[in-house]
Amino acid sequence: AQTVTQSQPEMSVQEAETVTLSCTYDTSESNYYLFWYKQPPSRQMILVIRQEAYKQQNATENRFSVNFQKAAKSFSLKISDSQLGDTAMYFCAFILGAGSYQLTFGKGTKLSVIP
Amino acid sequence: DTGVSQNPRHKITKRGQNVTFRCDPISEHNRLYWYRQTLGQGPEFLTYFQNEAQLEKSRLLSDRFSAERPKGSFSTLEIQRTEQGDSAMYLCASSQGLVEQFFGPGTRLTVL
């Protein structure tokens, strides 16, 4: 079974600063996808960034980037130039490739951006 | 708005009552998923539909839970004889491919 671990229940960052959220996962498979989802207070979950395991290059989406270390099974999210709107729960998630449908989520990290 | 929608957004019920939630996926998406999220936890998979066929059910989905997706469009999730432990956020997601799932706002259930 696949597991996803987020070891930081809460984090805070000053506005305009950079913060990194950690995620580790465990799987014996080689074909999979990793995601970071953002869930703002009382709002729906949205996809922030995704990474295909077969790609060596780290994914980047504007101010969001990942550090994907496949051998270490680590998938951290870096948020640059933090904005107040980044305040949210952030969930790391995993799905196997080749016909899988079940997302496995970590417990989440609550990020607060301080003005 | 062409995103995933869920109704109602909030539901308060007494223990032992039946409740039904509805999910309307993004129109061209043929795959639909239900997840449950309890306080302080990430979402947990409940069930999956491809078109109208329910292809997988988690062991979390007890006999009191039933989900349908008639005609492969909207889906309903019914909980019979609700228990306090059923209190949670119920999330619906849909996808066209097998990888990227788009989530709705959820239905928050409180069982008194």
Side-chain angles (χ1 to χ4, degrees):
Chain A
Q2 284 63 236
T3 59
V4 176
T5 302
Q6 293 180 249
S7 58
Q8 305 151 316
E10 293 191 40
M11 293 191 72
S12 62
V13 62
Q14 291 290 136
E15 194 175 5
E17 296 295 308
T18 295
V19 64
T20 299
L21 309 183
S22 301
C23 172
T24 58
Y25 59 94
D26 188 23
T27 182
S28 58
E29 303 292 332
S30 59
N31 181 22
Y32 53 87
Y33 299 81
L34 294 160
F35 307 88
W36 279 97
Y37 278 89
K38 170 185 177 182
Q39 189 176 41
S42 301
R43 295 181 62 187
Q44 68 198 77
M45 195 171 317
I46 58 173
L47 180 65
V48 174
I49 197 166
R50 87 182 224 183
Q51 174 79 43
E52 292 85 345
Y54 63 85
K55 289 187 177 179
Q56 292 186 332
Q57 186 172 6
N58 289 325
T60 299
E61 288 287 342
N62 301 314
R63 297 182 296 106
F64 299 88
S65 61
V66 298
N67 183 4
F68 174 48
Q69 301 289 329
K70 190 171 184 178
K73 297 181 181 175
S74 170
F75 182 62
S76 61
L77 174 70
K78 185 171 83 171
I79 306 174
S80 303
D81 186 26
S82 297
Q83 300 176 359
L84 296 178
D86 295 333
T87 293
M89 284 292 293
Y90 286 82
F91 292 97
C92 178
F94 170 103
I95 193 169
L96 289 174
S100 296
Y101 45 79
Q102 178 178 344
L103 277 168
T104 300
F105 287 86
K107 291 187 176 183
T109 296
K110 183 178 180 181
L111 177 67
S112 299
V113 180
I114 302 165
Chain B
D1 185 12
T2 56
V4 178
S5 61
Q6 293 186 245
N7 288 288
R9 295 291 306 276
H10 303 273
K11 179 70 177 179
I12 300 174
T13 191
K14 293 182 179 180
R15 188 176 54 186
Q17 298 295 304
N18 299 343
V19 294
T20 300
F21 311 140
R22 176 177 170 128
C23 170
D24 287 272
I26 294 171
S27 58
E28 63 268 25
H29 288 183
N30 61 346
R31 295 177 174 86
L32 187 145
Y33 317 79
W34 285 98
Y35 291 81
R36 182 172 69 185
Q37 185 179 17
T38 53
L39 201 61
Q41 302 293 322
E44 295 174 292
F45 171 79
L46 292 179
T47 190
Y48 159 62
F49 289 85
Q50 183 167 325
N51 299 312
E52 66 276 8
Q54 187 174 18
L55 298 184
E56 186 64 29
K57 292 170 60 174
S58 163
R59 58 183 172 78
L60 292 175
L61 216 62
S62 75
D63 292 344
R64 297 183 297 105
F65 287 71
S66 62
E68 294 182 343
R69 193 184 181 197
K71 302 178 182 178
S73 55
F74 69 92
S75 175
T76 58
L77 178 67
E78 181 183 16
I79 309 174
Q80 296 182 328
R81 305 180 304 281
T82 53
E83 302 172 357
Q84 288 186 324
D86 297 331
S87 295
M89 177 76 84
Y90 290 84
L91 297 170
C92 177
S94 70
S95 71
Q96 179 68 357
L98 277 170
V99 176
E100 190 165 333
Q101 298 180 19
F102 295 82
F103 283 82
T107 294
R108 181 169 296 282
L109 173 66
T110 302
V111 182
L112 302 176

